Amino acid sequence: MTTRPPTPSRRTLLRALAALPATALALGELPGLLGAADAAAPASGSATRYTIVPFLNSDDGTVNVYQSDDATDFRLLQSSAYTPPSNRIRDASIFKHTDGYYYLTYTTHTWEDESTTIGFARSADRAAWTFLYDYTIPITNLSRAWAPEWFVDSDGSVNVIVSCSTTDDEWIFTPYVLTATDSALTAWTSPAALSGIGTNHIDTYIVKSGSTYHAFTKNETAKYIEYGTASSLKGPYTISRTGDWAGWGSYREGPSVIQLDNGGWRIFFDGYGDGNYYYSDSYDTFATWSAPTALPTLSGTARHFTVIKETVSGGASVTKNATRSFQSVNYTTRYWEEVSALLNLPVVTSSSATADKQAATFTVVAGLADSNGYSFRDAAGNYLRHYDFRGRFDANDGTAAFAQDATFIARTGSAGGSVRFESYNYPGYYLRHYNYQLRVDISNGTDLFRQDSSFVPVTSWA
């Protein structure tokens, strides 16, 4: 009997990231956007956008569309965005094709019924969808075709990974790959089993890093998400991680893996056994993972989805190499101010002492860990960083850990002209005020949290 080592802390995972060479962070090829290394904060004038299209726990006849700029706080874009003309829609997978359209593929029946088809739909804007067709998977004696997942390879080929069972044992699934033979995605190769993964695996999700294909697949008997690798999309795969290898627990399904702006990887999965939807992060190319965290607002509502990441125009930005003061959105007389090396949120007015005005003035510079991000200096040249989740100012010690602690990614705030500052090395954690102190806390998805973490860059007090 082997025992799993303790789940590494997020700090431990981020220190692993700091030790990686820069080239290691450029290996990722993203589902839906494969071929582009996308491990950096968005440049000024652009924003990161993640999209999911889940069916609901209460209704598998339609799907909602949600979007997020941080892969943590998903907001509704369109409710009941797509309802197929017949049957159901479950396990929807989305990607953006080279023709500029977004495409869905999905399971067409409930789990109780035979399901020999997968569905396809298309959208120009992710909000309004048009049914394209149902495709019958050409496998002899097919019983069920479930959980189709898009995979775009580095050569540009468009593939669907689908889990299929046959009538001789309708609950034993094998993953197959279909490859589109035309750009319209209407013709497909014959299904080919993914060698090495074998039977009794479902919800197989593939990502490619460098020349290696990484498979995340649910063992339908053990109910754990397993992991394997191959040098070819069709395999053979070697399953090297089984059981509770990542600390995610059992009764987990529907894995989807995406690369974050800081180069780490995030897996989302449906914790159908306890009703939550989870995410977990890795910074050592899938070897170890952070403890699973329930996705705010969507846990208990959303079911089995995949995630695509895009870089789009717009987004929040702050002028660099300039001094600014930062005004709270929901306490408009209060501003960032350094008090005994800590960042607080006191009232600052035109009648405040000169020392207070100077302490409420900061120089905005390019992020120490990512030049597309932001760092903040005080008058003494010390940098704002998080330490034990508290905002404080310290001298730059030149380490990668300090650079990451002192770098923040700008996200759109809750009010016009406002900005939220996400921790570079704690994705989903934001500078927010609590008891008029600035700390780095994880987003809970509420409007109040968004307001508490939103600040307006204004003309500096000093």
Side-chain angles (χ1 to χ4, degrees):
M1 172 179 175
T2 58
T3 59
R4 181 178 57 82
T7 300
S9 68
R10 191 181 294 264
R11 170 70 66 177
T12 300
L13 293 172
L14 268 297
R15 291 197 185 283
L17 170 64
L20 291 174
T23 53
L25 302 184
L27 294 176
E29 296 179 88
L30 310 179
L33 292 173
L34 286 165
D38 200 5
S44 179
S46 62
T48 300
R49 185 174 73 193
Y50 303 87
T51 302
I52 61 174
V53 187
F55 75 96
L56 306 182
N57 194 45
S58 59
D59 186 1
D60 64 358
T62 190
V63 288
N64 291 351
V65 179
Y66 299 85
Q67 64 183 13
S68 172
D69 58 5
D70 61 8
T72 303
D73 183 7
F74 283 88
R75 295 280 163 145
L76 181 67
L77 173 67
Q78 183 65 53
S79 62
S80 299
Y82 173 63
T83 301
S86 62
N87 302 318
R88 319 308 291 166
I89 176 167
R90 301 169 66 92
D91 317 327
S93 179
I94 181 175
F95 95 111
K96 189 176 184 180
H97 196 19
T98 53
D99 61 6
Y101 284 94
Y102 298 88
Y103 287 81
L104 288 181
T105 183
Y106 53 91
T107 304
T108 57
H109 290 75
T110 66
W111 67 271
E112 300 100 330
D113 300 330
E114 284 198 355
S115 177
T116 59
T117 62
I118 56 176
F120 291 88
R122 186 175 74 171
S123 173
D125 60 4
R126 300 173 300 134
W129 293 83
T130 300
F131 172 74
L132 294 178
Y133 62 97
D134 286 340
Y135 179 73
T136 300
I137 304 296
I139 293 178
T140 302
N141 297 323
L142 179 66
S143 174
R144 285 168 171 80
W146 281 4
E149 304 282 0
W150 294 109
F151 176 76
V152 184
D153 211 336
S154 50
D155 62 2
S157 62
V158 178
N159 305 272
V160 170
I161 312 297
V162 60
S163 302
C164 297
S165 69
T166 51
T167 54
D168 57 334
D169 200 333
E170 60 184 350
W171 303 116
I172 300 298
F173 289 85
T174 299
Y176 289 82
V177 59
L178 314 172
T179 302
T181 58
D182 66 344
S183 61
L185 308 181
T186 59
W188 301 90
T189 60
S190 297
L194 296 184
S195 173
I197 294 179
T199 59
N200 207 34
H201 287 84
I202 195 171
D203 297 352
T204 301
Y205 192 91
I206 307 290
V207 294
K208 189 179 183 183
S209 180
S211 59
T212 301
Y213 296 83
H214 301 260
F216 297 82
T217 183
K218 178 192 175 188
N219 183 309
E220 188 58 24
T221 297
K223 311 300 183 184
Y224 290 112
I225 296 173
E226 300 182 342
Y227 167 79
T229 56
S231 58
S232 168
L233 174 58
K234 296 180 181 179
Y237 286 84
T238 299
I239 301 295
S240 58
R241 299 288 187 271
T242 60
D244 196 16
W245 66 279
W248 299 325
S250 61
Y251 290 88
R252 307 300 192 229
E253 66 184 14
S256 177
V257 183
I258 203 75
Q259 195 170 33
L260 301 173
D261 283 343
N262 69 358
W265 294 88
R266 174 164 291 182
I267 187 170
F268 299 85
F269 53 84
D270 189 341
Y272 67 100
D274 57 30
N276 286 315
Y277 220 103
Y278 292 99
Y279 66 88
S280 174
D281 297 343
S282 176
Y283 291 90
D284 51 11
T285 316
F286 315 133
T288 58
W289 295 82
S290 64
T293 301
L295 196 63
T297 70
L298 293 184
S299 282
T301 299
R303 296 294 311 278
H304 195 146
F305 58 75
T306 59
V307 187
I308 61 165
K309 178 184 179 182
E310 301 174 85
T311 299
V312 297
S313 60
S317 63
V318 183
T319 302
K320 292 177 179 175
N321 301 314
T323 56
R324 290 289 184 269
S325 293
F326 294 89
Q327 179 186 35
S328 168
V329 159
N330 53 353
Y331 288 84
T332 56
T333 61
R334 294 180 177 270
Y335 296 79
W336 290 10
E337 182 178 330
E338 182 183 358
V339 179
S340 299
L342 298 175
L343 187 61
N344 291 340
L345 196 75
V347 173
V348 182
T349 69
S350 57
S351 59
S352 295
T354 299
D356 287 325
K357 291 179 180 179
Q358 291 174 338
T361 297
F362 306 94
T363 301
V364 182
V365 298
L368 296 181
D370 185 329
S371 61
N372 286 341
Y374 295 86
S375 292
F376 305 92
R377 281 201 313 257
D378 65 9
N382 295 323
Y383 285 86
L384 172 65
R385 53 89 63 94
H386 61 80
Y387 187 86
D388 284 341
F389 302 105
R390 185 71 161 89
R392 58 175 292 144
F393 288 85
D394 287 316
N396 183 2
D397 63 10
T399 64
F402 184 95
Q404 293 167 14
D405 286 351
T407 299
F408 300 86
I409 299 175
R411 308 295 191 191
T412 301
S414 65
S418 67
V419 182
R420 304 171 71 208
F421 293 104
E422 183 187 17
S423 169
Y424 179 79
N425 55 352
Y426 281 59
Y429 285 68
Y430 285 83
L431 275 173
R432 60 85 60 98
H433 63 79
Y434 185 83
N435 286 339
Y436 305 127
Q437 298 177 344
L438 271 293
R439 40 183 302 113
V440 172
D441 281 341
I442 191 168
S443 172
N444 62 12
T446 64
D447 289 337
L448 178 60
F449 185 95
R450 290 177 64 84
Q451 294 165 9
D452 286 350
S453 58
S454 294
F455 303 93
V456 180
V458 297
T459 301
S460 58
W461 279 108

